[in-house]
Each structure stands twice: as structure tokens, then as C-alpha cells.
Amino acid sequence: MDKIERIKILLKDIGMPVRQQADICALTILAMANLKKTTKWSGASNEWNRIHDIITFVNKNYGVSYAENSRETFRKQALHHFRSAAIVEDNSKATNSPDYRYRLTDEFVEILRNCNKSSEPLNDFKMNHHSLIEIYASKRNLEKMPVKINGEDFSFSKGKHNQLQKAVIEEFAPRFAPNAECLYVGDTIQKDLVKRDERLKELGFKITIHDKMPDVVLYRADKDWIYFIEAVTSVGPMDPKRISEITSMTSEVEVGKIFVTAFLDFKTYKKFANQLAWETEIWIAEMPEHMIHMNGDKFLGPR
């Protein structure tokens, strides 16, 4: 029996759904274990892998030709499910980080090393499967950042971008948008962490799947102001192009619009200073009590 078929039987044996017993899933396991067609099962390893590494391995060693743009298929069909089933774990980096990696769990790689040799690791895994899922879920949750949004408890996944979004919610909003309602905020893993569709529609939003929402959208009812906030760590400030995109997307939103670019520190702000659009605001998390106004003479005058 070839290795692909053997892994598919193994995935069925531990209770993975039919869709997660497909060739692409078996190949993902083999790549992560560094098991070529001629490698002995005892040689299975669990080094950290990018999805790019997985695709490169299976194309080179198993006569397939997955394109680089199939990364999302590997992620959604195989890796997300394997992580939930305690077959793989990630290194808790933000998913858009170039350092994001997956590897097989210690328990599962032992099953592979003992294929055709001993069923004990497999039996142990099946006996403890639910507890393993809880253990690995807890490991991931420890890496999350708790945040209270609209009075409810949420958590951001770990990473600089979400660290900045957390600061926007907890530090910027109370100072410069007191009692504002958060209408939208994403997460690097869960895109629409908070999205108040009905409220957005009431305010005139008509959002299509092609529209990219700002990172954080706040609404302050007492002023009838809406804050569009981009949390910038590496890309995406409120430059003239972005202002035009948001203005077009919200052409039927009649409340006062405020455009804000948020940065973690002054050093990052300086990298983007020459890109920022006039008539916008800048907030820097390391000096949360102050803002920079790119507003011409609007605030000119003695204090």
C-alpha cells in the first residue's frame, strides 16, 4: 500500500470527516512529516513548515503540480481541520506574518513513526483524542489577547496588527471617541470579529464582497460622527487612494466622517508620514493622549 492510501486510512481511523481524507490532506501530512515515497515511516519528523514548503514538497516528491495560489485550499481543507483535531499545531504568529508556521503534534508524529510497527500510539491518541483537542485549543487561547468591545468579551489573535487594534479600542476610543459603538473590527485570523450589519445599513453602508473595510469603524452617536481607522504596522495608511476608496464605498453615509491612521510608535509613523492624506488624523499608541492633525489651518490659532 502506498503512503498516500495509508495516510487516508489513518485519517479515517481517527475520525476525520470524509473531505479531510482526500489526497490533498494525505499529502499535507506526508509533507509535514518529511516522508518521501521511499522514506521509512520511522523517519517521520515534525519540523515547522510554511504552506509554501508543503506545496513544494508534494510537487517535488509525489508527482503532483499544485500551484502556489492553492495555498488557501491547503489551509482551509487540511490544516485548519488538522489543527482543530490536534494533528497539527501552529506557532501562534499572525496568519499574515511571513514567520507563520505549522508542524505535526508530538502525539501524531509518533503514530506515523510506528505505522506498520505498533498500534499503541494510535490507540493512545484515539483514547485521549478529545482531551488532546482541548489541550491544543488551550495552547492557542493562551496566545490570544482579551479585549472588551461594546461591553462584550472578545479576543484578538497574537500579532502586532491586533496589538494595535486592541490599543485603538482600549486607548484611542475612550479618549477621542467616548461612548462610541464599534461597528466593525477584524482579526488577522477571523476577518469579521465584530460586524454590526444592521447598524451599518441604517447609517447608509452598502458593502459588497469586493469592498475592503477599514480595520476599525466606530460610531459616536452624540456627535453623529463615524471614525474610519486604519491600524498600520507595515502597510495601508490613510493615503489619498484609500480615502477615495472609503469615500466611494460610503457615498450614501451622511454622518460626519473622520479618517484616522493609527501607529504603534513614532518610528513607524515616520515611515509613512509622506504618504498620509491631508484632512486626516494620526494617533500613535505609545503617546495615546495626543493626536496629529493633518488638517491645514482648521486648528490654527492661539491655545
Side-chain angles (χ1 to χ4, degrees):
M1 183 184 302
D2 70 17
K3 282 188 168 64
I4 295 175
E5 290 304 314
R6 183 68 185 86
I7 295 295
K8 289 164 72 172
I9 290 172
L10 178 59
L11 291 171
K12 179 180 180 181
D13 198 11
I14 64 173
M16 295 304 296
V18 172
R19 184 167 168 76
Q20 277 64 58
Q21 300 169 29
D23 283 1
I24 190 173
C25 299
L27 288 166
T28 298
I29 295 293
L30 291 168
M32 297 184 74
N34 197 30
L35 288 171
K36 302 175 183 178
K37 289 182 179 180
T38 57
T39 306
K40 293 182 178 180
W41 290 105
S42 59
S45 63
N46 62 339
E47 301 300 318
W48 292 107
N49 287 271
R50 300 170 297 169
I51 297 179
H52 167 78
D53 302 324
I54 294 170
I55 293 172
T56 300
F57 182 94
V58 298
N59 285 349
K60 180 179 179 180
N61 295 288
Y62 282 90
V64 291
S65 55
Y66 288 105
E68 191 65 25
N69 62 9
S70 61
R71 283 177 296 179
E72 197 63 17
T73 304
F74 277 84
R75 181 181 291 111
K76 288 185 175 180
Q77 186 171 344
L79 291 162
H80 281 188
H81 296 274
F82 291 166
R83 186 176 59 185
S84 297
I87 293 175
V88 305
E89 60 182 326
D90 62 44
N91 62 357
S92 299
K93 302 286 186 181
T95 52
N96 60 355
S97 167
D99 297 322
Y100 189 75
R101 301 286 192 277
Y102 298 93
R103 71 176 176 187
L104 296 173
T105 61
D106 291 339
E107 293 83 2
F108 194 75
V109 80
E110 278 303 308
I111 294 173
L112 297 180
R113 288 169 179 164
N114 284 276
C115 266
N116 302 329
K117 183 179 176 182
S118 170
S119 60
E120 186 175 345
L122 175 59
N123 292 336
D124 288 345
F125 184 91
K126 290 163 67 175
M127 184 179 299
N128 297 308
H129 195 214
H130 288 293
S131 61
L132 285 171
I133 290 172
E134 292 168 2
I135 290 169
Y136 281 96
S138 297
K139 284 174 67 177
R140 293 198 302 275
N141 288 335
L142 286 173
E143 298 294 336
K144 289 183 176 288
M145 298 178 287
V147 60
K148 193 172 286 290
I149 305 173
N150 299 328
E152 299 179 45
D153 292 321
F154 291 88
S155 59
F156 284 127
S157 53
K158 190 178 178 182
K160 282 189 175 182
H161 185 264
N162 284 339
Q163 179 187 344
L164 179 52
Q165 292 197 137
K166 177 179 168 70
V168 167
I169 298 293
E170 296 180 342
E171 302 291 341
F172 169 85
R175 289 180 170 90
F176 300 103
N179 301 312
E181 175 187 8
C182 181
L183 302 182
Y184 176 86
V185 62
D187 177 79
T188 49
I189 291 178
Q190 184 180 344
K191 183 181 177 183
D192 299 337
L193 185 67
V194 172
K195 187 179 181 185
R196 299 207 158 179
D197 290 299
E198 291 304 316
R199 195 76 173 103
L200 289 165
K201 288 177 184 177
E202 288 174 10
L203 290 167
F205 280 77
K206 290 187 177 179
I207 305 164
T208 72
I209 59 172
H210 303 292
D211 291 323
K212 180 184 179 298
M213 288 286 282
D215 291 318
V216 183
V217 178
L218 305 174
Y219 175 65
R220 184 175 172 181
D222 62 327
K223 296 282 190 179
D224 203 23
W225 289 350
I226 194 159
Y227 299 70
F228 300 111
I229 305 166
E230 293 289 18
V232 176
T233 54
S234 59
V235 293
M238 284 292 186
D239 58 16
K241 179 176 180 291
R242 187 68 178 120
I243 298 295
S244 177
E245 291 171 349
I246 296 173
T247 301
S248 176
M249 183 178 74
T250 60
S251 59
E252 297 186 26
V253 176
E254 297 180 352
V255 303
K257 300 174 185 177
I258 298 170
F259 300 93
V260 182
T261 305
F263 299 99
L264 276 172
D265 50 50
F266 197 78
K267 180 180 177 181
T268 309
Y269 156 70
K270 288 195 294 184
K271 292 181 182 178
F272 293 90
N274 65 345
Q275 300 178 34
L276 297 165
W278 292 107
E279 310 300 329
T280 66
E281 317 294 330
I282 296 96
W283 182 76
I284 301 171
E286 70 176 3
M287 45 186 80
E289 298 87 359
H290 304 284
M291 291 187 70
I292 300 171
H293 304 276
M294 295 280 288
N295 279 356
D297 65 356
K298 184 174 181 181
F299 294 98
L300 184 64
R303 298 293 174 182

